Amino acid sequence: MPADSRNLSLADEISRLEEHLDSTFLFLNGISICLMQLGFACVEVGSVRKKNSVSVLMKNVLDMFICSVTFWLVGYSLAFGTGNPFLGLSLWDIDSLPHRRRSHWFFQLSFAAAASTIVSGAVAERCTLLAYAIYTTFISGLIYPIVVHWTWSPDGWLSILGYRDLAGSGVVHLLGGSCALVGAIILGSRLGRFEDGVTVRKKQHSTFTPCSLACLADPIPGHSTLMVGIGGMLLAVTFLSFNGASIGKVTGGFEEDANAAAVVAVNTILGGSGGAIIAICALKVHSYRYPNCCSPPWDLGITVNAALTGMVSLCAGADVLSQWASLCTGLIAGLVYLTSKYIVLNMKVDDPTDVASVHLGGGLWGVLARPLFTIPYHIIFNHDISKAKELLYNLTGAITITLWSTCISFLVFTLLKKGKLLRVTAEHEILGLDSSYEMKRNKSDAVAMQTISCDDLTTTESV
């Protein structure tokens, strides 16, 4: 009896240790994923003009704090509470959560913040701060949590159907990219971005060829390519935690449980490598074919975005793809990025940081790539019928996520536009969001100084 008691106690201690290790694993990786906010901020600040850089940074700073409150109030409950296949209806008192679930809440918060901050790059340089705060609240408190419940909650209808998405190619990136595209369309382009229905650069460049993608590059360049590169590298590193920690644990009875995070990380970096390599090759081939093109043969921004698109596409299936399949997925993702960039520009949609191309395009391809390349049974070579069903389920999920996020964000952005809360005035946009706010402050200071001077003069005269 004492021996059995000791064995039971040892088993309990091992179970508690595993629980603590898994909680620490999620918590530390959640901190790493929060650094994505810094990566997004660097990319967006570098992609806009200097006169708007502080405004863009301010919005990225607020994003994490707004998301924290909304996800704490309603987001986590809607996402992971027990309820029905559509939404959660419990866990409203987050303070009463067991301690072992606090790390899960924090980890999921970092995902919610990533989903909402995706939109800021598409509406940069002309969106008001109030509108940014409102749509961020809706994304992190309603749009994103509902989709999470559908897909990652055990009683969600897409999860029951058979939709599979490890780290959010559809749940995070397709959703964020769809909201971003809708926001950019309703908000309209920046002043000077398009003229007479075509891009300014296309109109000015006499040797432009219709099939030339690089000639459609943004005629309003950002002020710091260095910031774009640094931000891209930060995002690439944090993507390893974003995908790797999505397995949820590092403990288990099998060796593959402990090594799953490393497998996911390797596949993720291979996907990013494929995207970057195909972009570099495409740009170089383009420069040879169109030597008079107005764009250089090497473009850091396009290379960074193509690499990020490759990593986005691995979010769905990094745990089940082989290394060669991960590289192929990334290579195709690079082509998806270049193609979608061309399509978005021909739609006359102003997206300063190519958010729609990276996240919507890469997310959609990632959701479909998982069943196409899953090992050991996949559709490409083995023609496995079960994976054909998973492809259908994932396609259903992708369509549903796109429709949901598009419809709700369309409603939010339309109401903001009708209320004249969405876009800054033309005067502020021309002066720059930073300088216009600074002018207001300086004007107030000047009035205050003038009042003080008048008061001093009156006092002197009375003496």
Side-chain angles (χ1 to χ4, degrees):
M1 185 67 179
D4 293 340
S5 178
R6 286 195 300 270
N7 289 337
L8 182 61
S9 177
L10 178 60
D12 290 342
E13 289 297 326
I14 292 175
S15 177
R16 290 181 59 190
L17 177 61
E18 289 181 344
E19 182 181 301
H20 294 166
L21 287 174
D22 291 339
S23 295
T24 303
F25 173 72
L26 288 179
F27 174 68
L28 294 178
N29 279 283
I31 294 175
S32 177
I33 297 171
C34 287
L35 291 176
M36 271 190 157
Q37 302 297 320
L38 179 58
F40 281 121
C42 289
V43 170
E44 293 172 24
V45 168
S47 299
V48 303
R49 290 162 289 185
K50 189 175 181 179
K51 63 181 181 179
N52 298 311
S53 57
V54 176
S55 172
V56 169
L57 186 58
M58 179 65 175
K59 292 169 183 174
N60 278 271
V61 169
L62 286 178
D63 180 82
M64 188 68 190
F65 304 133
I66 294 174
C67 286
S68 297
V69 175
T70 54
F71 200 68
W72 173 70
L73 286 173
V74 296
Y76 188 81
S77 303
L78 292 174
F80 294 101
T82 57
N84 55 57
F86 184 75
L87 78 167
L89 297 172
S90 64
L91 300 179
W92 298 108
D93 185 9
I94 300 299
D95 192 48
S96 64
L97 275 180
H99 287 186
R100 64 178 181 275
R101 295 200 64 171
R102 302 293 176 90
S103 58
H104 182 260
W105 179 91
F106 178 71
F107 181 75
Q108 291 299 327
L109 166 66
S110 65
F111 273 59
S116 60
T117 200
I118 287 172
V119 184
S120 63
V123 298
E125 297 197 283
R126 69 258 198 223
C127 181
T128 66
L129 186 62
L130 177 60
Y132 182 87
I134 292 173
Y135 79 68
T136 297
T137 301
F138 272 92
I139 292 175
S140 58
L142 177 65
I143 301 175
Y144 172 77
I146 294 294
V147 172
V148 169
H149 187 80
W150 295 349
T151 55
W152 289 341
S153 176
D155 56 350
W157 72 272
L158 279 176
S159 177
I160 297 172
L161 179 67
Y163 176 88
R164 297 294 178 263
D165 185 354
L166 173 68
S169 283
V171 179
V172 177
H173 299 284
L174 179 58
L175 181 149
S178 299
C179 294
L181 182 61
V182 171
I185 292 173
I186 296 177
L187 185 60
S189 62
R190 292 167 291 174
L191 299 177
R193 179 63 177 92
F194 298 103
E195 185 177 340
D196 298 332
V198 297
T199 63
V200 173
R201 181 167 292 184
K202 175 177 177 180
K203 185 174 181 179
Q204 293 176 347
H205 191 55
S206 59
T207 59
F208 173 81
T209 52
C211 55
S212 171
L213 173 63
C215 280
L216 290 176
D218 195 343
I220 308 177
H223 80 282
S224 177
T225 305
L226 178 64
M227 291 288 286
V228 174
I230 293 174
M233 293 176 68
L234 276 170
L235 287 172
V237 172
T238 51
F239 252 116
L240 303 180
S241 290
F242 191 92
N243 288 359
S246 294
I247 62 173
K249 63 177 184 177
V250 288
T251 60
F254 301 96
E255 182 180 356
E256 54 265 26
D257 293 330
N259 296 325
V263 171
V264 171
V266 170
N267 289 341
T268 301
I269 200 67
L270 285 173
S273 301
I277 289 171
I278 200 68
I280 292 174
C281 293
L283 288 173
K284 195 61 178 176
V285 170
H286 175 272
S287 67
Y288 278 119
R289 187 172 182 182
Y290 304 106
N292 294 325
C293 177
C294 55
S295 297
W298 310 111
D299 190 305
L300 178 61
I302 290 179
T303 303
V304 166
N305 282 334
L308 295 177
T309 308
M311 290 186 166
V312 167
S313 68
L314 262 295
C315 288
D319 59 328
V320 294
L321 300 185
S322 63
Q323 294 179 5
W324 70 265
S326 299
L327 181 61
C328 289
T329 300
L331 290 169
I332 297 173
L335 296 176
V336 169
Y337 163 71
L338 294 173
T339 303
S340 57
K341 176 181 174 69
Y342 182 84
I343 293 173
V344 169
L345 286 172
N346 277 274
M347 290 171 59
K348 309 300 180 291
V349 176
D350 187 9
D351 184 356
T353 58
D354 290 340
V355 166
S357 302
V358 173
H359 298 278
L360 195 158
L364 177 60
W365 164 238
V367 169
L368 302 180
R370 177 184 173 108
L372 288 174
F373 293 111
T374 299
I375 55 173
Y377 307 109
H378 47 75
I379 297 175
I380 298 298
F381 296 115
N382 293 346
H383 311 289
D384 185 76
I385 188 63
S386 65
K387 293 306 172 185
K389 291 181 179 179
E390 185 178 327
L391 177 62
L392 178 61
Y393 300 150
N394 275 25
L395 180 60
T396 301
I399 294 173
T400 305
I401 292 170
T402 303
L403 289 176
W404 165 257
S405 54
T406 298
C407 291
I408 302 301
S409 58
F410 176 82
L411 179 62
V412 172
F413 281 109
T414 300
L415 290 175
L416 288 172
K417 186 175 182 178
K418 292 293 184 181
K420 298 182 179 180
L421 302 173
L422 183 59
R423 183 162 184 152
V424 299
T425 63
E427 179 186 3
H428 286 177
E429 187 175 347
I430 293 171
L431 292 174
L433 303 189
D434 300 348
S435 60
S436 62
Y437 296 149
E438 188 69 17
M439 282 181 63
K440 288 182 179 180
R441 187 178 67 83
N442 290 342
K443 184 177 180 180
S444 300
D445 292 346
V447 172
M449 289 299 295
Q450 185 177 5
T451 303
I452 293 173
S453 299
C454 292
D455 291 342
D456 290 343
L457 181 60
T458 303
T459 303
T460 302
E461 290 176 351
S462 61
V463 171

